[in-house]
Amino acid sequence: MTTSRVTIKDVAARAGVSKGAVSLAFNHKPGLSEATRERIFQAAQELGWAPSLTARTLAGSRVDVVGLAICRPARLLGLEPFYMEFISGVESVLTEHSCSLLLRLVRSVEEEVGIQESWWRGRQIGGSILVDFRPDDPRVAAAERLGMPVVAVGHPTLTGGLTSVWTDDATAVTEAVRYLAALGHRRVARVGGAAALGHTAMRTAAFDEAARTLELAGARQLTTDYSGEAGARATRSLLSAAAADRPTAIVYDNDIMAVAGLSVAAEMGLSVPGDVSLLAWDDSQLCRLTHPTLSAMSHDVHGFGVEAARTLFGVLSGEGPGSHPVPTPVLTPRGSTAPPSR
Amino acid sequence: MTTSRVTIKDVAARAGVSKGAVSLAFNHKPGLSEATRERIFQAAQELGWAPSLTARTLAGSRVDVVGLAICRPARLLGLEPFYMEFISGVESVLTEHSCSLLLRLVRSVEEEVGIQESWWRGRQIGGSILVDFRPDDPRVAAAERLGMPVVAVGHPTLTGGLTSVWTDDATAVTEAVRYLAALGHRRVARVGGAAALGHTAMRTAAFDEAARTLELAGARQLTTDYSGEAGARATRSLLSAAAADRPTAIVYDNDIMAVAGLSVAAEMGLSVPGDVSLLAWDDSQLCRLTHPTLSAMSHDVHGFGVEAARTLFGVLSGEGPGSHPVPTPVLTPRGSTAPPSR
DNA sequence: AACGTTTTCTTAACCGGTAAAGTCCCTATC
DNA sequence: GATAGGGACTTTACCGGTTAAGAAAACGTT
């Protein structure tokens, strides 16, 4: 009930030493006899004391909290397996360093800049992981202006001089299109993610480029908000074209939209992969739960989070800016892709 | 680049006043002329200063961070729409109070007790939201021992004397079973969540009770780990019984498993809802993306998070322990439930 | 003009730690 | 036996705020 805040002073008194000695003991610094050290830990244990991180932070040492602000409508976040998996990867590294994650959902990049700045100014965080980069993202300048240690999750062309962790979306898109073309598809469509995001633009450009190179006349692209509903709408729009124009293969920017697409195809009486092939992205467990199972560009999202966190610790320990690519998503063919029917 | 930490002292100097005056101004406390107040804000703005939350916390005011530790294997978290939606609800309230969320994924309740304790001891958080209660949960005693303000998300019978926010799972399960029975189903099965969780036990008991009351001889239940794979396995096991014993309706404890079940039925050549009806739980967007769409016990998870956070702020402002039920999940029939075929 | 009130601001003591500098004592060295 | 060098602690000065108590100036009163 009472709790009566136990402080370092109480521990010092109980162990019969000074505050300084307790501090020394708890930071495993030299200058104390084994006996005293033991006595101090004993006292701390008895009183149930742990050093206040707040005070410790204020006293000038580092902050062991990492920030992460995510800017997506709440409705979508719930559904996207991506972030939770990413976070779990980040967490697994933070835990090793007994660090915590400060999370915030924001509505705009501008708001995020504000949050990050106040976190940093208020000494709430030691550094941050920035995600969902846009072209000319204001966070690049903000991070540099503040001198705040960050790792930017995004392609180096988007993240300015910041240390970045990224996947090669362009190559993955190209591989996806090549694969579908190799199966014999000519009318390939892509249902992309949010148009404002930098990596969507990169995928769009790569898709165009691949379509041109492979001389796919019927290539088409749409952008969405990543939601299943938008994916369904986009698919419906693509598949309702006259049979001669209708795409025979569709690539999606996440797996929720691919699942939605699968259901639209069924609803329209089209068989997958007979009438249309579908290819998902990110490849969560979901892709193996549908019927037919979804072929996907598969991706170790957890590992992506791990790498981001590791890199942030690198930055925190003084490493200069760098570019850290993580493995390119690999094609994982399952039941939803096949050669087009004649 | 340099940032040269701006502190309250710098602001005071620039405004030509003392530290104390700046503090007064920024906390909107009386005792300053309008002119000085203005001058101070002006100076702060020019220097880009914001008070350090760390220092502020240390100086004795409250902590504006709320803790949340989640104990589920990372692999599952990614997929479960529940938590992200819940978090987004929590966040929306925290934001109003300019509070942040400290998130941690843990592997066991014991680990969580440790984390919560060190957060609290270290003055990292002002209070916490506890989720996923088990019978005799050690967190109840821990929270009371520490005198830590918390809100427990779980049924009052599980959360001891802690302030709780909960949904009436028992009633919802009963309603689900009644509905299926009303459609004419006699062999109803349930694919439950993690056996160790308190609310799973409550649902299991309620299901048994409802089956007895309605005299459903063929009622069966299984528990899983909430993953789609486990849901698929469970469904496969249930549906591979001889036709005369095979359940004609299955209730799932989340929607991922229901999706998995749907695909298993398809794989086994059974039609939904013709041969077997499926009923999902939680009702994320996913339930509307399958074919047929999934009937579900629908639930405002975002609102659940909102209520949890609101209640925590109540506790923080001194409200005594209380019990806050949120609306019971309501049955939302869609395409996956129908009377059994003869 | 003398005196009590307010208003407005300053001082100084914390909050709970860290870290550099200082003190004391014990031992090795010449 | 004087001195230097460590080891084991203690002192003390911060970190960047808050806040109670104190002081100076402005104001109203009789």
Side-chain angles (χ1 to χ4, degrees):
Chain A
M1 183 75 226
T2 46
T3 315
S4 62
R5 304 303 205 161
V6 180
T7 78
I8 197 174
K9 216 187 291 180
D10 303 316
V11 177
R14 185 174 242 268
V17 295
S18 68
K19 294 201 308 176
V22 178
S23 175
L24 253 8
F26 264 76
N27 293 327
H28 300 103
K29 295 202 173 172
L32 286 184
S33 71
E34 221 20 79
T36 331
R37 212 173 276 275
E38 191 127 337
R39 205 146 34 83
I40 291 174
F41 281 118
Q42 176 73 21
Q45 175 124 25
E46 285 168 14
L47 295 175
W49 177 80
S52 153
L53 288 197
T54 309
R56 196 175 249 184
T57 298
L58 184 54
S61 42
R62 82 291 114 198
V63 189
D64 35 16
V65 175
V66 166
L68 174 63
I70 298 180
C71 171
R72 293 264 177 114
R75 184 176 53 89
L76 303 182
L77 264 179
L79 208 56
E80 277 241 63
F82 184 90
Y83 277 110
M84 264 294 188
E85 254 177 71
F86 182 81
I87 290 175
S88 84
V90 169
E91 280 274 2
S92 66
V93 175
L94 295 190
T95 304
E96 291 169 14
H97 297 248
S98 42
C99 230
S100 305
L101 185 72
L102 201 54
L103 179 72
R104 186 93 168 227
L105 308 182
V106 296
R107 257 161 306 286
S108 69
V109 216
E110 288 69 33
E111 187 186 352
E112 176 174 350
V113 170
I115 299 290
Q116 297 277 7
E117 187 161 340
S118 77
W119 277 349
W120 175 247
R121 286 251 161 77
R123 299 272 194 124
Q124 294 239 89
I125 56 173
S128 235
I129 297 178
L130 308 178
V131 297
D132 276 347
F133 272 80
R134 297 146 196 269
D136 298 315
D137 202 290
R139 291 172 293 176
V140 176
E144 279 167 351
R145 175 169 48 82
L146 294 170
M148 174 167 121
V150 300
V151 50
V153 175
H155 194 273
T157 53
L158 297 166
T159 61
L162 304 178
T163 293
S164 59
V165 173
W166 53 284
T167 53
D168 189 351
D169 280 314
T171 300
V173 166
T174 306
E175 187 181 337
V177 176
R178 280 224 190 95
Y179 164 67
L180 294 171
L183 287 178
H185 294 278
R186 311 299 298 164
R187 295 194 303 279
V188 177
R190 171 170 163 269
V191 174
L197 297 182
H199 73 265
T200 301
M202 301 193 63
R203 290 186 194 178
T204 302
F207 185 90
D208 271 341
E209 175 64 24
R212 188 165 36 248
T213 307
L214 297 165
E215 295 174 351
L216 303 180
R220 267 196 74 189
Q221 301 192 68
L222 296 173
T223 56
T224 66
D225 64 2
Y226 281 115
S227 72
E229 273 142 22
R233 239 186 338 267
T235 308
R236 216 167 273 130
S237 145
L238 288 168
L239 295 184
S240 58
D245 289 337
R246 186 205 296 151
T248 58
I250 308 181
V251 191
Y252 294 84
D253 259 16
N254 67 7
D255 46 13
I256 287 299
M257 295 196 293
V259 170
L262 190 59
S263 129
V264 166
E267 152 201 319
M268 295 179 72
L270 297 172
S271 89
V272 174
D275 296 315
V276 57
S277 287
L278 303 183
L279 184 56
W281 205 280
D282 281 348
D283 193 21
S284 70
Q285 214 187 3
L286 207 50
C287 293
R288 265 156 291 154
L289 297 180
T290 56
H291 191 80
T293 54
L294 285 165
S295 301
M297 296 305 292
S298 187
H299 200 191
D300 178 10
V301 177
H302 182 91
F304 198 3
V306 167
E307 183 60 21
R310 289 244 167 83
T311 306
L312 180 58
F313 279 108
V315 173
L316 285 172
S317 60
E319 259 173 37
S323 164
H324 300 244
V326 302
T328 304
V330 298
L331 181 70
T332 305
R334 295 207 185 84
S336 66
T337 45
S341 56
R342 315 250 62 232
Chain B
M1 184 69 230
T2 46
T3 315
S4 61
R5 303 304 204 161
V6 180
T7 79
I8 198 175
K9 215 186 291 180
D10 304 315
V11 177
R14 184 175 245 267
V17 294
S18 69
K19 292 200 308 175
V22 178
S23 176
L24 254 8
F26 263 76
N27 292 329
H28 301 103
K29 294 204 173 171
L32 285 184
S33 70
E34 220 23 77
T36 337
R37 215 174 273 276
E38 192 127 337
R39 203 145 36 82
I40 291 173
F41 281 118
Q42 177 72 24
Q45 175 123 26
E46 286 168 15
L47 295 175
W49 177 80
S52 154
L53 289 195
T54 308
R56 195 174 249 186
T57 298
L58 183 55
S61 41
R62 81 291 115 199
V63 189
D64 36 15
V65 174
V66 165
L68 175 63
I70 298 180
C71 171
R72 295 264 177 111
R75 183 176 53 91
L76 303 182
L77 264 178
L79 208 55
E80 277 241 63
F82 184 89
Y83 277 110
M84 263 296 188
E85 255 177 70
F86 182 80
I87 290 175
S88 83
V90 170
E91 280 275 2
S92 67
V93 176
L94 295 190
T95 304
E96 291 169 12
H97 297 247
S98 42
C99 229
S100 303
L101 185 73
L102 201 54
L103 180 73
R104 185 93 167 227
L105 308 182
V106 296
R107 257 161 305 286
S108 69
V109 217
E110 289 69 33
E111 187 185 352
E112 177 174 349
V113 170
I115 300 290
Q116 296 277 6
E117 189 163 337
S118 78
W119 275 349
W120 174 247
R121 287 251 162 76
R123 298 270 195 123
Q124 293 238 88
I125 57 173
S128 233
I129 296 178
L130 308 179
V131 297
D132 276 348
F133 272 79
R134 297 147 196 267
D136 298 314
D137 201 291
R139 289 171 294 175
V140 176
E144 280 166 352
R145 176 167 49 81
L146 294 170
M148 173 167 123
V150 301
V151 50
V153 175
H155 194 274
T157 54
L158 297 166
T159 61
L162 303 178
T163 293
S164 60
V165 173
W166 53 284
T167 53
D168 188 352
D169 279 315
T171 301
V173 165
T174 307
E175 187 181 338
V177 176
R178 279 220 191 98
Y179 164 68
L180 294 171
L183 286 178
H185 294 279
R186 311 298 300 165
R187 295 194 303 280
V188 177
R190 172 170 162 269
V191 175
L197 296 182
H199 74 264
T200 301
M202 302 193 61
R203 291 186 193 177
T204 301
F207 184 89
D208 271 339
E209 174 64 24
R212 189 166 33 248
T213 306
L214 297 166
E215 296 175 349
L216 303 180
R220 267 197 75 187
Q221 302 191 66
L222 297 173
T223 56
T224 65
D225 64 1
Y226 281 115
S227 71
E229 273 142 22
R233 241 188 334 269
T235 307
R236 215 168 274 128
S237 145
L238 289 168
L239 295 184
S240 57
D245 290 334
R246 187 205 295 149
T248 58
I250 308 180
V251 191
Y252 294 85
D253 259 17
N254 67 7
D255 47 11
I256 288 299
M257 294 196 294
V259 170
L262 190 61
S263 129
V264 166
E267 153 201 319
M268 295 178 74
L270 298 172
S271 88
V272 174
D275 296 315
V276 58
S277 287
L278 303 184
L279 185 56
W281 206 280
D282 281 348
D283 193 22
S284 71
Q285 213 186 7
L286 207 50
C287 292
R288 267 157 289 155
L289 297 181
T290 56
H291 191 80
T293 53
L294 285 165
S295 301
M297 295 305 292
S298 187
H299 201 191
D300 179 10
V301 178
H302 182 92
F304 198 3
V306 167
E307 183 59 20
R310 289 243 169 83
T311 306
L312 180 58
F313 279 108
V315 173
L316 286 172
S317 59
E319 258 172 39
S323 164
H324 301 243
V326 302
T328 304
V330 299
L331 180 71
T332 305
R334 295 207 184 82
S336 66
T337 46
S341 56
R342 314 249 64 233

Short mmCIF file of all heavy atoms in Angstrom, two decimals, chain B residues 113-148:
data_model
loop_
_atom_site.label_atom_id
_atom_site.label_comp_id
_atom_site.label_asym_id
_atom_site.label_seq_id
_atom_site.Cartn_x
_atom_site.Cartn_y
_atom_site.Cartn_z
N VAL B 113 6.16 -9.37 -14.48
CA VAL B 113 6.18 -8.82 -13.12
C VAL B 113 7.49 -8.08 -12.89
O VAL B 113 7.51 -6.97 -12.37
CB VAL B 113 5.99 -9.94 -12.07
CG1 VAL B 113 6.25 -9.40 -10.67
CG2 VAL B 113 4.59 -10.51 -12.15
N GLY B 114 8.58 -8.71 -13.33
CA GLY B 114 9.89 -8.07 -13.17
C GLY B 114 9.96 -6.73 -13.89
O GLY B 114 10.41 -5.74 -13.34
N ILE B 115 9.51 -6.72 -15.13
CA ILE B 115 9.55 -5.52 -15.95
C ILE B 115 8.71 -4.41 -15.32
O ILE B 115 9.17 -3.28 -15.15
CB ILE B 115 8.97 -5.80 -17.36
CG1 ILE B 115 9.75 -6.88 -18.07
CG2 ILE B 115 8.91 -4.51 -18.16
CD1 ILE B 115 11.11 -6.46 -18.49
N GLN B 116 7.51 -4.75 -14.98
CA GLN B 116 6.59 -3.76 -14.42
C GLN B 116 7.21 -3.18 -13.14
O GLN B 116 7.18 -1.98 -12.91
CB GLN B 116 5.23 -4.39 -14.09
CG GLN B 116 4.48 -4.91 -15.29
CD GLN B 116 3.70 -3.84 -16.04
OE1 GLN B 116 3.80 -2.65 -15.73
NE2 GLN B 116 2.95 -4.25 -17.04
N GLU B 117 7.76 -4.07 -12.35
CA GLU B 117 8.34 -3.62 -11.09
C GLU B 117 9.50 -2.66 -11.34
O GLU B 117 9.61 -1.62 -10.69
CB GLU B 117 8.80 -4.83 -10.29
CG GLU B 117 9.23 -4.46 -8.88
CD GLU B 117 9.30 -5.68 -7.95
OE1 GLU B 117 8.63 -6.69 -8.25
OE2 GLU B 117 10.02 -5.61 -6.95
N SER B 118 10.34 -3.00 -12.31
CA SER B 118 11.49 -2.13 -12.50
C SER B 118 11.06 -0.82 -13.18
O SER B 118 11.62 0.23 -12.90
CB SER B 118 12.60 -2.83 -13.27
OG SER B 118 12.30 -2.86 -14.63
N TRP B 119 10.05 -0.90 -14.02
CA TRP B 119 9.52 0.35 -14.58
C TRP B 119 9.02 1.26 -13.47
O TRP B 119 9.30 2.44 -13.43
CB TRP B 119 8.33 0.05 -15.51
CG TRP B 119 8.72 -0.31 -16.91
CD1 TRP B 119 9.95 -0.20 -17.48
CD2 TRP B 119 7.84 -0.84 -17.92
NE1 TRP B 119 9.88 -0.64 -18.79
CE2 TRP B 119 8.61 -1.02 -19.07
CE3 TRP B 119 6.49 -1.16 -17.96
CZ2 TRP B 119 8.08 -1.52 -20.27
CZ3 TRP B 119 5.95 -1.65 -19.14
CH2 TRP B 119 6.74 -1.84 -20.28
N TRP B 120 8.28 0.65 -12.58
CA TRP B 120 7.67 1.43 -11.51
C TRP B 120 8.74 1.95 -10.55
O TRP B 120 8.77 3.14 -10.22
CB TRP B 120 6.65 0.57 -10.77
CG TRP B 120 6.06 1.22 -9.58
CD1 TRP B 120 6.21 0.85 -8.28
CD2 TRP B 120 5.19 2.37 -9.56
NE1 TRP B 120 5.51 1.69 -7.46
CE2 TRP B 120 4.89 2.63 -8.21
CE3 TRP B 120 4.68 3.20 -10.56
CZ2 TRP B 120 4.06 3.69 -7.83
CZ3 TRP B 120 3.85 4.26 -10.17
CH2 TRP B 120 3.56 4.49 -8.82
N ARG B 121 9.61 1.07 -10.13
CA ARG B 121 10.67 1.46 -9.21
C ARG B 121 11.53 2.54 -9.83
O ARG B 121 11.96 3.46 -9.17
CB ARG B 121 11.53 0.24 -8.88
CG ARG B 121 10.86 -0.74 -7.96
CD ARG B 121 11.51 -0.68 -6.59
NE ARG B 121 10.65 -1.28 -5.58
CZ ARG B 121 10.49 -2.58 -5.41
NH1 ARG B 121 11.13 -3.42 -6.18
NH2 ARG B 121 9.71 -3.02 -4.45
N GLY B 122 11.82 2.37 -11.12
CA GLY B 122 12.68 3.31 -11.80
C GLY B 122 11.95 4.57 -12.20
O GLY B 122 12.48 5.41 -12.90
N ARG B 123 10.71 4.71 -11.75
CA ARG B 123 9.92 5.90 -12.07
C ARG B 123 9.81 6.11 -13.57
O ARG B 123 9.80 7.25 -14.04
CB ARG B 123 10.59 7.15 -11.47
CG ARG B 123 10.69 7.13 -9.99
CD ARG B 123 9.44 7.75 -9.38
NE ARG B 123 9.66 8.05 -7.99
CZ ARG B 123 9.51 9.26 -7.48
NH1 ARG B 123 9.14 10.25 -8.24
NH2 ARG B 123 9.70 9.47 -6.20
N GLN B 124 9.76 5.02 -14.29
CA GLN B 124 9.64 5.16 -15.73
C GLN B 124 8.20 5.37 -16.14
O GLN B 124 7.94 5.90 -17.19
CB GLN B 124 10.16 3.90 -16.42
CG GLN B 124 11.62 3.68 -16.28
CD GLN B 124 12.26 3.61 -17.63
OE1 GLN B 124 12.66 4.63 -18.19
NE2 GLN B 124 12.35 2.43 -18.19
N ILE B 125 7.31 4.85 -15.36
CA ILE B 125 5.89 4.93 -15.70
C ILE B 125 5.07 5.44 -14.53
O ILE B 125 5.47 5.33 -13.38
CB ILE B 125 5.32 3.55 -16.11
CG1 ILE B 125 5.54 2.55 -14.97
CG2 ILE B 125 5.95 3.05 -17.37
CD1 ILE B 125 4.88 1.22 -15.22
N GLY B 126 3.93 6.02 -14.86
CA GLY B 126 3.02 6.50 -13.83
C GLY B 126 1.99 5.44 -13.48
O GLY B 126 1.36 5.50 -12.42
N GLY B 127 1.82 4.49 -14.38
CA GLY B 127 0.86 3.42 -14.16
C GLY B 127 0.92 2.45 -15.32
O GLY B 127 1.68 2.67 -16.26
N SER B 128 0.14 1.40 -15.24
CA SER B 128 0.25 0.37 -16.27
C SER B 128 -1.09 -0.25 -16.62
O SER B 128 -2.03 -0.23 -15.83
CB SER B 128 1.18 -0.73 -15.77
OG SER B 128 2.19 -0.97 -16.71
N ILE B 129 -1.14 -0.76 -17.82
CA ILE B 129 -2.30 -1.52 -18.26
C ILE B 129 -1.88 -2.99 -18.30
O ILE B 129 -0.91 -3.33 -18.98
CB ILE B 129 -2.77 -1.06 -19.65
CG1 ILE B 129 -3.22 0.40 -19.57
CG2 ILE B 129 -3.89 -1.95 -20.17
CD1 ILE B 129 -3.64 0.98 -20.91
N LEU B 130 -2.58 -3.81 -17.55
CA LEU B 130 -2.22 -5.22 -17.51
C LEU B 130 -3.22 -6.03 -18.33
O LEU B 130 -4.43 -5.85 -18.19
CB LEU B 130 -2.23 -5.72 -16.06
CG LEU B 130 -1.42 -4.89 -15.05
CD1 LEU B 130 -1.53 -5.48 -13.65
CD2 LEU B 130 0.05 -4.83 -15.48
N VAL B 131 -2.71 -6.90 -19.18
CA VAL B 131 -3.61 -7.69 -20.02
C VAL B 131 -3.32 -9.19 -19.90
O VAL B 131 -2.33 -9.58 -19.31
CB VAL B 131 -3.48 -7.28 -21.51
CG1 VAL B 131 -3.91 -5.83 -21.70
CG2 VAL B 131 -2.05 -7.47 -22.00
N ASP B 132 -4.21 -9.99 -20.47
CA ASP B 132 -4.02 -11.44 -20.51
C ASP B 132 -3.89 -12.07 -19.13
O ASP B 132 -2.87 -12.70 -18.80
CB ASP B 132 -2.77 -11.80 -21.34
CG ASP B 132 -3.10 -11.86 -22.81
OD1 ASP B 132 -4.29 -11.86 -23.15
OD2 ASP B 132 -2.15 -11.91 -23.62
N PHE B 133 -4.92 -11.91 -18.34
CA PHE B 133 -4.87 -12.46 -16.99
C PHE B 133 -5.02 -13.97 -16.96
O PHE B 133 -5.72 -14.56 -17.78
CB PHE B 133 -5.93 -11.80 -16.11
CG PHE B 133 -5.40 -10.55 -15.48
CD1 PHE B 133 -5.33 -9.38 -16.22
CD2 PHE B 133 -4.92 -10.58 -14.19
CE1 PHE B 133 -4.79 -8.25 -15.66
CE2 PHE B 133 -4.38 -9.45 -13.63
CZ PHE B 133 -4.31 -8.28 -14.35
N ARG B 134 -4.34 -14.56 -16.02
CA ARG B 134 -4.46 -15.99 -15.76
C ARG B 134 -5.09 -16.18 -14.39
O ARG B 134 -5.08 -15.25 -13.60
CB ARG B 134 -3.07 -16.63 -15.69
CG ARG B 134 -2.36 -16.51 -16.97
CD ARG B 134 -0.88 -16.35 -16.81
NE ARG B 134 -0.40 -15.86 -18.09
CZ ARG B 134 0.04 -16.67 -19.05
NH1 ARG B 134 0.12 -17.95 -18.85
NH2 ARG B 134 0.39 -16.18 -20.21
N PRO B 135 -5.54 -17.36 -14.13
CA PRO B 135 -6.03 -17.62 -12.77
C PRO B 135 -4.86 -17.42 -11.79
O PRO B 135 -3.72 -17.78 -12.11
CB PRO B 135 -6.45 -19.10 -12.83
CG PRO B 135 -6.66 -19.38 -14.28
CD PRO B 135 -5.70 -18.51 -15.02
N ASP B 136 -5.13 -16.83 -10.65
CA ASP B 136 -4.10 -16.56 -9.64
C ASP B 136 -2.93 -15.81 -10.24
O ASP B 136 -1.76 -16.16 -10.02
CB ASP B 136 -3.58 -17.87 -9.02
CG ASP B 136 -4.69 -18.60 -8.31
OD1 ASP B 136 -5.44 -17.95 -7.57
OD2 ASP B 136 -4.82 -19.82 -8.54
N ASP B 137 -3.23 -14.81 -10.98
CA ASP B 137 -2.17 -14.06 -11.65
C ASP B 137 -1.27 -13.34 -10.64
O ASP B 137 -1.76 -12.63 -9.77
CB ASP B 137 -2.81 -13.05 -12.60
CG ASP B 137 -1.86 -12.61 -13.67
OD1 ASP B 137 -0.89 -11.91 -13.34
OD2 ASP B 137 -2.05 -13.00 -14.84
N PRO B 138 0.05 -13.54 -10.76
CA PRO B 138 0.97 -12.92 -9.80
C PRO B 138 0.98 -11.39 -9.89
O PRO B 138 1.43 -10.72 -8.96
CB PRO B 138 2.34 -13.50 -10.19
CG PRO B 138 2.19 -13.94 -11.61
CD PRO B 138 0.76 -14.38 -11.73
N ARG B 139 0.45 -10.87 -10.96
CA ARG B 139 0.50 -9.41 -11.11
C ARG B 139 -0.45 -8.69 -10.15
O ARG B 139 -0.23 -7.54 -9.80
CB ARG B 139 0.19 -9.02 -12.55
CG ARG B 139 1.32 -9.40 -13.50
CD ARG B 139 0.91 -9.21 -14.94
NE ARG B 139 -0.15 -10.14 -15.32
CZ ARG B 139 -0.76 -10.11 -16.51
NH1 ARG B 139 -0.41 -9.19 -17.39
NH2 ARG B 139 -1.70 -10.98 -16.79
N VAL B 140 -1.48 -9.39 -9.75
CA VAL B 140 -2.42 -8.78 -8.82
C VAL B 140 -1.70 -8.42 -7.52
O VAL B 140 -1.71 -7.27 -7.08
CB VAL B 140 -3.60 -9.73 -8.51
CG1 VAL B 140 -4.52 -9.11 -7.47
CG2 VAL B 140 -4.37 -10.04 -9.78
N ALA B 141 -1.04 -9.42 -6.96
CA ALA B 141 -0.30 -9.19 -5.71
C ALA B 141 0.80 -8.17 -5.91
O ALA B 141 1.01 -7.28 -5.08
CB ALA B 141 0.27 -10.51 -5.20
N ALA B 142 1.51 -8.28 -7.03
CA ALA B 142 2.64 -7.38 -7.28
C ALA B 142 2.16 -5.94 -7.33
O ALA B 142 2.76 -5.06 -6.70
CB ALA B 142 3.33 -7.76 -8.59
N ALA B 143 1.09 -5.69 -8.05
CA ALA B 143 0.60 -4.32 -8.18
C ALA B 143 0.18 -3.77 -6.81
O ALA B 143 0.47 -2.62 -6.48
CB ALA B 143 -0.58 -4.27 -9.14
N GLU B 144 -0.45 -4.62 -6.02
CA GLU B 144 -0.87 -4.16 -4.71
C GLU B 144 0.33 -3.91 -3.80
O GLU B 144 0.40 -2.89 -3.11
CB GLU B 144 -1.83 -5.17 -4.07
CG GLU B 144 -3.24 -4.99 -4.64
CD GLU B 144 -4.18 -6.15 -4.34
OE1 GLU B 144 -3.70 -7.18 -3.80
OE2 GLU B 144 -5.38 -6.02 -4.62
N ARG B 145 1.27 -4.81 -3.85
CA ARG B 145 2.47 -4.67 -3.03
C ARG B 145 3.20 -3.37 -3.36
O ARG B 145 3.66 -2.65 -2.48
CB ARG B 145 3.39 -5.87 -3.28
CG ARG B 145 4.72 -5.82 -2.58
CD ARG B 145 5.43 -7.18 -2.64
NE ARG B 145 5.45 -7.75 -3.99
CZ ARG B 145 6.33 -7.41 -4.94
NH1 ARG B 145 7.25 -6.51 -4.68
NH2 ARG B 145 6.27 -7.97 -6.14
N LEU B 146 3.29 -3.08 -4.67
CA LEU B 146 4.03 -1.90 -5.09
C LEU B 146 3.20 -0.62 -4.93
O LEU B 146 3.74 0.48 -4.98
CB LEU B 146 4.45 -2.04 -6.56
CG LEU B 146 5.45 -3.15 -6.86
CD1 LEU B 146 5.59 -3.34 -8.36
CD2 LEU B 146 6.80 -2.80 -6.25
N GLY B 147 1.92 -0.78 -4.77
CA GLY B 147 1.06 0.41 -4.71
C GLY B 147 1.04 1.12 -6.05
O GLY B 147 0.91 2.33 -6.14
N MET B 148 1.19 0.33 -7.09
CA MET B 148 1.27 0.91 -8.44
C MET B 148 -0.12 1.05 -9.04
O MET B 148 -0.91 0.11 -8.98
CB MET B 148 2.13 -0.04 -9.27
CG MET B 148 2.20 0.26 -10.72
SD MET B 148 3.55 -0.70 -11.47
CE MET B 148 2.66 -1.57 -12.72
#
